[in-house]
Amino acid sequence: MKALVCIEPGRLALEDRTDPVRAEGEVKVRIRHVGICGTDFHIFGGKHPFLEYPRVMGHELSGTVEEAPSGSSLKSGQPVYIVPYLSCGTCQACRRGITNACRNIEVLGVHRDGGMAEYVCVPESNVIPTGNIPLEDAAMIEFLAIGAHGVKRGAITAEDRVLVTGSGPIGMSAIIFAKARGAHVTVMDTREDRLAFAVEKLGADETIFADADAEQTAERQTGGEWYDVVIDATGNAIPMQRGFNFLAHGARYVLLSVVRQDITFSDPEFHKREATLIASRNAQPDDFAEVVRQIEAGRVPTRALNTHRAPLADAVHLFSEWFKPEAGVIKAILDV
């Protein structure tokens, strides 16, 4: 089979590899579409904290069943998407149902080779029928589930004033699901085009340009009350730390981002607000189901989100182009 391999930071190659052999309890999936995530760009740029090279990237996956175990409800040719988090099922987190934070978790495309290839074999429990969702849309379910999980972690309601910092794909997914819960959503970023997209396509209520005056703008927009929930999706330690400045009294701060560096904050300011700091990692089965419901309900503008498409083979030279901000990529999908 053909597989796209990140040999080392900044270098990709399309290789011929042996087709994977399905183990007991696994499903062999013929990959049809792969969404490119910020994680993949971090791997390509050498910035991912949990990875060794070489690596076949790709964890936003949809395809068709090639082979399934005897007695499986999955049938050959059936359209499916893949949940890329392989949990152990036995650790303390898994026993409590927090499989997204499994102590021994392996994520496709990060801890083990992923789906930028013609075939992949994964446990049957990680293979989910797409239902009425087109396969190209199903390749976006995973990144949308990340945002849905963060919104759930923040316990967002229609009563909340929410600030999403960072309007990349993960930030956009947080906007979509915060709006689905009826919240008033403000988006902060340094890119005017992304801010405009958030309002025009995602229904964000207000925007803030992330310059030196952002705090003054936020104070004015909120009447000095700040935000009930702040969701960071910047992937950068400096704005992650700055996000503490925007918390209302009693607020929740949800960190969707993960960075290598330590982040710090003022303990007196944090305490006097009785604020809550929340990590949000990966997603859980109910988050994937929520994404499917919202796509089927027409509340996710999948066509607008998918800005770039290309065959897998073209990614060898396109990756470095799509990596640049001026390319205007929101969600790129590779067709396999």
Side-chain angles (χ1 to χ4, degrees), residues 289-329:
E290 171 68 4
V291 172
V292 171
R293 283 193 295 270
Q294 297 297 345
I295 292 178
E296 290 179 335
R299 298 192 184 98
V300 181
T302 52
R303 296 282 80 81
L305 291 168
N306 178 200
T307 55
H308 294 66
R309 288 274 289 273
L312 180 69
D314 290 357
V316 172
H317 66 269
L318 283 175
F319 229 87
S320 57
E321 294 301 314
W322 288 348
F323 188 66
K324 301 172 183 176
E326 56 267 28
V329 173

mmCIF file of all heavy atoms in Angstrom, residues 289-329:
data_model
loop_
_atom_site.group_PDB
_atom_site.id
_atom_site.type_symbol
_atom_site.label_atom_id
_atom_site.label_comp_id
_atom_site.label_asym_id
_atom_site.label_seq_id
_atom_site.Cartn_x
_atom_site.Cartn_y
_atom_site.Cartn_z
ATOM 1 N N ALA A 289 -20.766 11.424 18.990
ATOM 2 C CA ALA A 289 -22.197 11.320 18.689
ATOM 3 C C ALA A 289 -22.837 12.698 18.585
ATOM 4 O O ALA A 289 -23.716 12.922 17.730
ATOM 5 C CB ALA A 289 -22.893 10.483 19.767
ATOM 6 N N GLU A 290 -22.401 13.637 19.417
ATOM 7 C CA GLU A 290 -22.926 15.001 19.356
ATOM 8 C C GLU A 290 -22.559 15.663 18.035
ATOM 9 O O GLU A 290 -23.383 16.361 17.420
ATOM 10 C CB GLU A 290 -22.381 15.820 20.529
ATOM 11 C CG GLU A 290 -22.676 17.313 20.478
ATOM 12 C CD GLU A 290 -24.137 17.668 20.641
ATOM 13 O OE1 GLU A 290 -24.967 16.757 20.879
ATOM 14 O OE2 GLU A 290 -24.467 18.858 20.522
ATOM 15 N N VAL A 291 -21.346 15.433 17.576
ATOM 16 C CA VAL A 291 -20.928 15.991 16.284
ATOM 17 C C VAL A 291 -21.820 15.455 15.171
ATOM 18 O O VAL A 291 -22.296 16.215 14.313
ATOM 19 C CB VAL A 291 -19.451 15.656 15.993
ATOM 20 C CG1 VAL A 291 -19.085 16.066 14.572
ATOM 21 C CG2 VAL A 291 -18.542 16.365 16.993
ATOM 22 N N VAL A 292 -22.049 14.161 15.175
ATOM 23 C CA VAL A 292 -22.899 13.560 14.147
ATOM 24 C C VAL A 292 -24.294 14.173 14.177
ATOM 25 O O VAL A 292 -24.863 14.522 13.125
ATOM 26 C CB VAL A 292 -22.963 12.031 14.330
ATOM 27 C CG1 VAL A 292 -24.022 11.414 13.411
ATOM 28 C CG2 VAL A 292 -21.598 11.403 14.053
ATOM 29 N N ARG A 293 -24.852 14.346 15.370
ATOM 30 C CA ARG A 293 -26.188 14.948 15.487
ATOM 31 C C ARG A 293 -26.216 16.356 14.905
ATOM 32 O O ARG A 293 -27.145 16.723 14.177
ATOM 33 C CB ARG A 293 -26.626 14.990 16.958
ATOM 34 C CG ARG A 293 -27.103 13.668 17.518
ATOM 35 C CD ARG A 293 -27.809 13.856 18.844
ATOM 36 N NE ARG A 293 -26.909 14.341 19.877
ATOM 37 C CZ ARG A 293 -26.197 13.571 20.683
ATOM 38 N NH1 ARG A 293 -26.256 12.249 20.553
ATOM 39 N NH2 ARG A 293 -25.411 14.088 21.611
ATOM 40 N N GLN A 294 -25.197 17.147 15.214
ATOM 41 C CA GLN A 294 -25.180 18.532 14.754
ATOM 42 C C GLN A 294 -24.926 18.628 13.245
ATOM 43 O O GLN A 294 -25.473 19.510 12.574
ATOM 44 C CB GLN A 294 -24.135 19.337 15.529
ATOM 45 C CG GLN A 294 -24.395 19.454 17.024
ATOM 46 C CD GLN A 294 -25.686 20.185 17.349
ATOM 47 O OE1 GLN A 294 -26.288 20.850 16.516
ATOM 48 N NE2 GLN A 294 -26.129 20.061 18.595
ATOM 49 N N ILE A 295 -24.113 17.716 12.689
ATOM 50 C CA ILE A 295 -23.931 17.700 11.233
ATOM 51 C C ILE A 295 -25.242 17.326 10.555
ATOM 52 O O ILE A 295 -25.674 17.965 9.589
ATOM 53 C CB ILE A 295 -22.812 16.723 10.824
ATOM 54 C CG1 ILE A 295 -21.438 17.229 11.293
ATOM 55 C CG2 ILE A 295 -22.797 16.534 9.300
ATOM 56 C CD1 ILE A 295 -20.299 16.281 10.973
ATOM 57 N N GLU A 296 -25.904 16.289 11.063
ATOM 58 C CA GLU A 296 -27.167 15.851 10.468
ATOM 59 C C GLU A 296 -28.241 16.932 10.582
ATOM 60 O O GLU A 296 -29.123 17.032 9.725
ATOM 61 C CB GLU A 296 -27.636 14.560 11.132
ATOM 62 C CG GLU A 296 -26.775 13.355 10.780
ATOM 63 C CD GLU A 296 -27.228 12.078 11.455
ATOM 64 O OE1 GLU A 296 -27.877 12.156 12.520
ATOM 65 O OE2 GLU A 296 -26.927 10.989 10.919
ATOM 66 N N ALA A 297 -28.141 17.752 11.636
ATOM 67 C CA ALA A 297 -29.109 18.831 11.828
ATOM 68 C C ALA A 297 -28.772 20.060 11.000
ATOM 69 O O ALA A 297 -29.513 21.052 11.027
ATOM 70 C CB ALA A 297 -29.183 19.206 13.308
ATOM 71 N N GLY A 298 -27.649 20.022 10.269
ATOM 72 C CA GLY A 298 -27.264 21.133 9.414
ATOM 73 C C GLY A 298 -26.634 22.299 10.147
ATOM 74 O O GLY A 298 -26.562 23.407 9.594
ATOM 75 N N ARG A 299 -26.128 22.073 11.367
ATOM 76 C CA ARG A 299 -25.562 23.160 12.167
ATOM 77 C C ARG A 299 -24.046 23.268 12.050
ATOM 78 O O ARG A 299 -23.441 24.105 12.717
ATOM 79 C CB ARG A 299 -25.962 22.987 13.638
ATOM 80 C CG ARG A 299 -27.471 23.047 13.875
ATOM 81 C CD ARG A 299 -27.796 23.153 15.350
ATOM 82 N NE ARG A 299 -29.239 23.114 15.583
ATOM 83 C CZ ARG A 299 -29.908 22.031 15.946
ATOM 84 N NH1 ARG A 299 -29.253 20.886 16.131
ATOM 85 N NH2 ARG A 299 -31.201 22.068 16.137
ATOM 86 N N VAL A 300 -23.447 22.426 11.226
ATOM 87 C CA VAL A 300 -21.993 22.469 11.010
ATOM 88 C C VAL A 300 -21.734 22.764 9.537
ATOM 89 O O VAL A 300 -22.081 21.947 8.677
ATOM 90 C CB VAL A 300 -21.322 21.144 11.414
ATOM 91 C CG1 VAL A 300 -19.812 21.233 11.211
ATOM 92 C CG2 VAL A 300 -21.653 20.776 12.861
ATOM 93 N N PRO A 301 -21.137 23.910 9.203
ATOM 94 C CA PRO A 301 -20.921 24.270 7.794
ATOM 95 C C PRO A 301 -19.728 23.540 7.204
ATOM 96 O O PRO A 301 -18.667 24.106 6.951
ATOM 97 C CB PRO A 301 -20.693 25.779 7.864
ATOM 98 C CG PRO A 301 -20.049 25.988 9.199
ATOM 99 C CD PRO A 301 -20.686 24.976 10.125
ATOM 100 N N THR A 302 -19.909 22.252 6.950
ATOM 101 C CA THR A 302 -18.791 21.408 6.535
ATOM 102 C C THR A 302 -18.157 21.876 5.225
ATOM 103 O O THR A 302 -16.939 21.826 5.063
ATOM 104 C CB THR A 302 -19.249 19.943 6.395
ATOM 105 O OG1 THR A 302 -20.408 19.889 5.548
ATOM 106 C CG2 THR A 302 -19.598 19.369 7.760
ATOM 107 N N ARG A 303 -18.990 22.333 4.287
ATOM 108 C CA ARG A 303 -18.439 22.769 2.996
ATOM 109 C C ARG A 303 -17.557 23.994 3.158
ATOM 110 O O ARG A 303 -16.533 24.137 2.492
ATOM 111 C CB ARG A 303 -19.577 23.073 2.009
ATOM 112 C CG ARG A 303 -20.436 21.887 1.620
ATOM 113 C CD ARG A 303 -19.746 20.991 0.578
ATOM 114 N NE ARG A 303 -18.763 20.095 1.174
ATOM 115 C CZ ARG A 303 -19.083 18.955 1.770
ATOM 116 N NH1 ARG A 303 -20.331 18.574 1.821
ATOM 117 N NH2 ARG A 303 -18.156 18.196 2.293
ATOM 118 N N ALA A 304 -17.939 24.895 4.065
ATOM 119 C CA ALA A 304 -17.131 26.097 4.288
ATOM 120 C C ALA A 304 -15.847 25.769 5.036
ATOM 121 O O ALA A 304 -14.794 26.380 4.796
ATOM 122 C CB ALA A 304 -17.937 27.132 5.067
ATOM 123 N N LEU A 305 -15.910 24.802 5.956
ATOM 124 C CA LEU A 305 -14.727 24.432 6.732
ATOM 125 C C LEU A 305 -13.676 23.745 5.869
ATOM 126 O O LEU A 305 -12.473 23.951 6.049
ATOM 127 C CB LEU A 305 -15.131 23.509 7.892
ATOM 128 C CG LEU A 305 -15.951 24.135 9.009
ATOM 129 C CD1 LEU A 305 -16.512 23.051 9.925
ATOM 130 C CD2 LEU A 305 -15.120 25.122 9.818
ATOM 131 N N ASN A 306 -14.122 22.922 4.927
ATOM 132 C CA ASN A 306 -13.191 22.184 4.065
ATOM 133 C C ASN A 306 -12.726 23.082 2.928
ATOM 134 O O ASN A 306 -13.304 23.100 1.851
ATOM 135 C CB ASN A 306 -13.864 20.924 3.531
ATOM 136 C CG ASN A 306 -12.984 20.116 2.586
ATOM 137 O OD1 ASN A 306 -13.476 19.311 1.813
ATOM 138 N ND2 ASN A 306 -11.671 20.327 2.637
ATOM 139 N N THR A 307 -11.648 23.819 3.165
ATOM 140 C CA THR A 307 -11.171 24.817 2.206
ATOM 141 C C THR A 307 -10.217 24.258 1.159
ATOM 142 O O THR A 307 -10.042 24.862 0.096
ATOM 143 C CB THR A 307 -10.470 25.967 2.942
ATOM 144 O OG1 THR A 307 -9.435 25.415 3.768
ATOM 145 C CG2 THR A 307 -11.456 26.743 3.808
ATOM 146 N N HIS A 308 -9.543 23.121 1.452
ATOM 147 C CA HIS A 308 -8.517 22.600 0.548
ATOM 148 C C HIS A 308 -8.664 21.078 0.432
ATOM 149 O O HIS A 308 -8.915 20.396 1.426
ATOM 150 C CB HIS A 308 -7.113 22.944 1.052
ATOM 151 C CG HIS A 308 -6.798 24.415 1.033
ATOM 152 N ND1 HIS A 308 -7.450 25.333 1.828
ATOM 153 C CD2 HIS A 308 -5.873 25.122 0.313
ATOM 154 C CE1 HIS A 308 -6.959 26.534 1.594
ATOM 155 N NE2 HIS A 308 -6.011 26.444 0.690
ATOM 156 N N ARG A 309 -8.481 20.558 -0.804
ATOM 157 C CA ARG A 309 -8.544 19.120 -1.067
ATOM 158 C C ARG A 309 -7.434 18.752 -2.037
ATOM 159 O O ARG A 309 -7.090 19.541 -2.925
ATOM 160 C CB ARG A 309 -9.885 18.725 -1.714
ATOM 161 C CG ARG A 309 -11.105 18.754 -0.833
ATOM 162 C CD ARG A 309 -11.330 17.489 -0.041
ATOM 163 N NE ARG A 309 -11.741 16.329 -0.789
ATOM 164 C CZ ARG A 309 -13.006 16.024 -1.082
ATOM 165 N NH1 ARG A 309 -13.987 16.855 -0.774
ATOM 166 N NH2 ARG A 309 -13.297 14.879 -1.689
ATOM 167 N N ALA A 310 -6.910 17.541 -1.882
ATOM 168 C CA ALA A 310 -5.887 17.054 -2.816
ATOM 169 C C ALA A 310 -5.724 15.554 -2.643
ATOM 170 O O ALA A 310 -6.046 15.007 -1.579
ATOM 171 C CB ALA A 310 -4.548 17.751 -2.577
ATOM 172 N N PRO A 311 -5.183 14.852 -3.654
ATOM 173 C CA PRO A 311 -4.848 13.435 -3.494
ATOM 174 C C PRO A 311 -3.694 13.263 -2.507
ATOM 175 O O PRO A 311 -2.859 14.163 -2.342
ATOM 176 C CB PRO A 311 -4.428 13.004 -4.904
ATOM 177 C CG PRO A 311 -4.929 14.066 -5.808
ATOM 178 C CD PRO A 311 -4.945 15.329 -5.016
ATOM 179 N N LEU A 312 -3.637 12.094 -1.889
ATOM 180 C CA LEU A 312 -2.594 11.798 -0.908
ATOM 181 C C LEU A 312 -1.196 12.038 -1.470
ATOM 182 O O LEU A 312 -0.342 12.623 -0.794
ATOM 183 C CB LEU A 312 -2.728 10.344 -0.447
ATOM 184 C CG LEU A 312 -1.705 9.857 0.587
ATOM 185 C CD1 LEU A 312 -1.943 10.531 1.934
ATOM 186 C CD2 LEU A 312 -1.781 8.331 0.743
ATOM 187 N N ALA A 313 -0.961 11.627 -2.691
ATOM 188 C CA ALA A 313 0.382 11.740 -3.279
ATOM 189 C C ALA A 313 0.841 13.190 -3.379
ATOM 190 O O ALA A 313 2.041 13.477 -3.293
ATOM 191 C CB ALA A 313 0.416 11.075 -4.644
ATOM 192 N N ASP A 314 -0.093 14.119 -3.570
ATOM 193 C CA ASP A 314 0.278 15.523 -3.731
ATOM 194 C C ASP A 314 0.708 16.172 -2.420
ATOM 195 O O ASP A 314 1.298 17.265 -2.424
ATOM 196 C CB ASP A 314 -0.889 16.319 -4.317
ATOM 197 C CG ASP A 314 -1.159 15.975 -5.771
ATOM 198 O OD1 ASP A 314 -0.406 15.151 -6.330
ATOM 199 O OD2 ASP A 314 -2.128 16.519 -6.342
ATOM 200 N N ALA A 315 0.411 15.512 -1.295
ATOM 201 C CA ALA A 315 0.726 16.111 0.009
ATOM 202 C C ALA A 315 2.219 16.272 0.230
ATOM 203 O O ALA A 315 2.645 17.126 1.014
ATOM 204 C CB ALA A 315 0.127 15.268 1.137
ATOM 205 N N VAL A 316 3.035 15.486 -0.474
ATOM 206 C CA VAL A 316 4.490 15.579 -0.292
ATOM 207 C C VAL A 316 4.963 17.003 -0.542
ATOM 208 O O VAL A 316 5.796 17.529 0.199
ATOM 209 C CB VAL A 316 5.213 14.580 -1.229
ATOM 210 C CG1 VAL A 316 6.719 14.813 -1.187
ATOM 211 C CG2 VAL A 316 4.896 13.151 -0.823
ATOM 212 N N HIS A 317 4.415 17.650 -1.571
ATOM 213 C CA HIS A 317 4.848 19.032 -1.837
ATOM 214 C C HIS A 317 3.849 20.058 -1.327
ATOM 215 O O HIS A 317 4.216 21.208 -1.061
ATOM 216 C CB HIS A 317 5.104 19.231 -3.334
ATOM 217 C CG HIS A 317 3.886 19.137 -4.201
ATOM 218 N ND1 HIS A 317 3.471 17.968 -4.775
ATOM 219 C CD2 HIS A 317 2.980 20.092 -4.583
ATOM 220 C CE1 HIS A 317 2.376 18.182 -5.493
ATOM 221 N NE2 HIS A 317 2.051 19.457 -5.391
ATOM 222 N N LEU A 318 2.573 19.670 -1.148
ATOM 223 C CA LEU A 318 1.574 20.643 -0.707
ATOM 224 C C LEU A 318 1.661 20.948 0.784
ATOM 225 O O LEU A 318 1.270 22.032 1.221
ATOM 226 C CB LEU A 318 0.165 20.135 -1.030
ATOM 227 C CG LEU A 318 -0.305 20.252 -2.481
ATOM 228 C CD1 LEU A 318 -1.668 19.598 -2.651
ATOM 229 C CD2 LEU A 318 -0.354 21.718 -2.902
ATOM 230 N N PHE A 319 2.158 19.999 1.573
ATOM 231 C CA PHE A 319 2.167 20.175 3.024
ATOM 232 C C PHE A 319 2.886 21.456 3.431
ATOM 233 O O PHE A 319 2.412 22.217 4.283
ATOM 234 C CB PHE A 319 2.811 18.963 3.705
ATOM 235 C CG PHE A 319 2.005 18.410 4.839
ATOM 236 C CD1 PHE A 319 1.022 17.464 4.615
ATOM 237 C CD2 PHE A 319 2.214 18.836 6.143
ATOM 238 C CE1 PHE A 319 0.270 16.939 5.647
ATOM 239 C CE2 PHE A 319 1.473 18.319 7.192
ATOM 240 C CZ PHE A 319 0.498 17.364 6.940
ATOM 241 N N SER A 320 4.045 21.704 2.827
ATOM 242 C CA SER A 320 4.814 22.896 3.192
ATOM 243 C C SER A 320 4.096 24.164 2.748
ATOM 244 O O SER A 320 4.232 25.219 3.392
ATOM 245 C CB SER A 320 6.216 22.844 2.583
ATOM 246 O OG SER A 320 6.148 22.715 1.178
ATOM 247 N N GLU A 321 3.289 24.077 1.673
ATOM 248 C CA GLU A 321 2.518 25.242 1.234
ATOM 249 C C GLU A 321 1.333 25.484 2.154
ATOM 250 O O GLU A 321 1.063 26.617 2.557
ATOM 251 C CB GLU A 321 2.040 25.034 -0.213
ATOM 252 C CG GLU A 321 3.158 24.988 -1.241
ATOM 253 C CD GLU A 321 3.984 26.265 -1.252
ATOM 254 O OE1 GLU A 321 3.384 27.359 -1.236
ATOM 255 O OE2 GLU A 321 5.232 26.159 -1.267
ATOM 256 N N TRP A 322 0.613 24.428 2.486
ATOM 257 C CA TRP A 322 -0.554 24.553 3.354
ATOM 258 C C TRP A 322 -0.161 24.955 4.779
ATOM 259 O O TRP A 322 -0.978 25.472 5.532
ATOM 260 C CB TRP A 322 -1.320 23.241 3.383
ATOM 261 C CG TRP A 322 -2.065 22.951 2.109
ATOM 262 C CD1 TRP A 322 -2.296 23.819 1.081
ATOM 263 C CD2 TRP A 322 -2.679 21.719 1.741
ATOM 264 N NE1 TRP A 322 -3.028 23.202 0.096
ATOM 265 C CE2 TRP A 322 -3.274 21.922 0.466
ATOM 266 C CE3 TRP A 322 -2.799 20.478 2.356
ATOM 267 C CZ2 TRP A 322 -3.976 20.905 -0.183
ATOM 268 C CZ3 TRP A 322 -3.497 19.463 1.706
ATOM 269 C CH2 TRP A 322 -4.080 19.683 0.448
ATOM 270 N N PHE A 323 1.086 24.702 5.138
ATOM 271 C CA PHE A 323 1.614 25.046 6.462
ATOM 272 C C PHE A 323 1.680 26.559 6.662
ATOM 273 O O PHE A 323 1.664 27.049 7.790
ATOM 274 C CB PHE A 323 3.004 24.426 6.593
ATOM 275 C CG PHE A 323 3.621 24.510 7.963
ATOM 276 C CD1 PHE A 323 3.076 23.833 9.041
ATOM 277 C CD2 PHE A 323 4.780 25.256 8.178
ATOM 278 C CE1 PHE A 323 3.650 23.900 10.299
ATOM 279 C CE2 PHE A 323 5.362 25.326 9.430
ATOM 280 C CZ PHE A 323 4.795 24.641 10.490
ATOM 281 N N LYS A 324 1.737 27.315 5.558
ATOM 282 C CA LYS A 324 1.895 28.767 5.632
ATOM 283 C C LYS A 324 0.554 29.451 5.901
ATOM 284 O O LYS A 324 -0.451 29.106 5.274
ATOM 285 C CB LYS A 324 2.490 29.303 4.328
ATOM 286 C CG LYS A 324 3.858 28.717 3.981
ATOM 287 C CD LYS A 324 4.294 29.144 2.590
ATOM 288 C CE LYS A 324 5.624 28.501 2.196
ATOM 289 N NZ LYS A 324 6.005 28.847 0.805
ATOM 290 N N PRO A 325 0.502 30.440 6.802
ATOM 291 C CA PRO A 325 -0.762 31.125 7.081
ATOM 292 C C PRO A 325 -1.418 31.745 5.851
ATOM 293 O O PRO A 325 -2.641 31.760 5.729
ATOM 294 C CB PRO A 325 -0.347 32.211 8.087
ATOM 295 C CG PRO A 325 0.896 31.686 8.729
ATOM 296 C CD PRO A 325 1.602 30.915 7.656
ATOM 297 N N GLU A 326 -0.596 32.216 4.917
ATOM 298 C CA GLU A 326 -1.171 32.879 3.745
ATOM 299 C C GLU A 326 -1.905 31.912 2.823
ATOM 300 O O GLU A 326 -2.647 32.341 1.916
ATOM 301 C CB GLU A 326 -0.086 33.608 2.951
ATOM 302 C CG GLU A 326 1.076 32.765 2.490
ATOM 303 C CD GLU A 326 2.250 32.777 3.465
ATOM 304 O OE1 GLU A 326 2.019 32.967 4.680
ATOM 305 O OE2 GLU A 326 3.388 32.596 3.009
ATOM 306 N N ALA A 327 -1.761 30.603 3.049
ATOM 307 C CA ALA A 327 -2.498 29.632 2.241
ATOM 308 C C ALA A 327 -3.990 29.659 2.559
ATOM 309 O O ALA A 327 -4.804 29.205 1.755
ATOM 310 C CB ALA A 327 -1.945 28.225 2.458
ATOM 311 N N GLY A 328 -4.339 30.179 3.725
ATOM 312 C CA GLY A 328 -5.753 30.292 4.087
ATOM 313 C C GLY A 328 -6.433 28.979 4.396
ATOM 314 O O GLY A 328 -7.659 28.867 4.288
ATOM 315 N N VAL A 329 -5.662 27.971 4.800
ATOM 316 C CA VAL A 329 -6.240 26.672 5.102
ATOM 317 C C VAL A 329 -7.045 26.728 6.403
ATOM 318 O O VAL A 329 -6.560 27.209 7.423
ATOM 319 C CB VAL A 329 -5.143 25.585 5.228
ATOM 320 C CG1 VAL A 329 -5.749 24.272 5.707
ATOM 321 C CG2 VAL A 329 -4.435 25.404 3.908
#
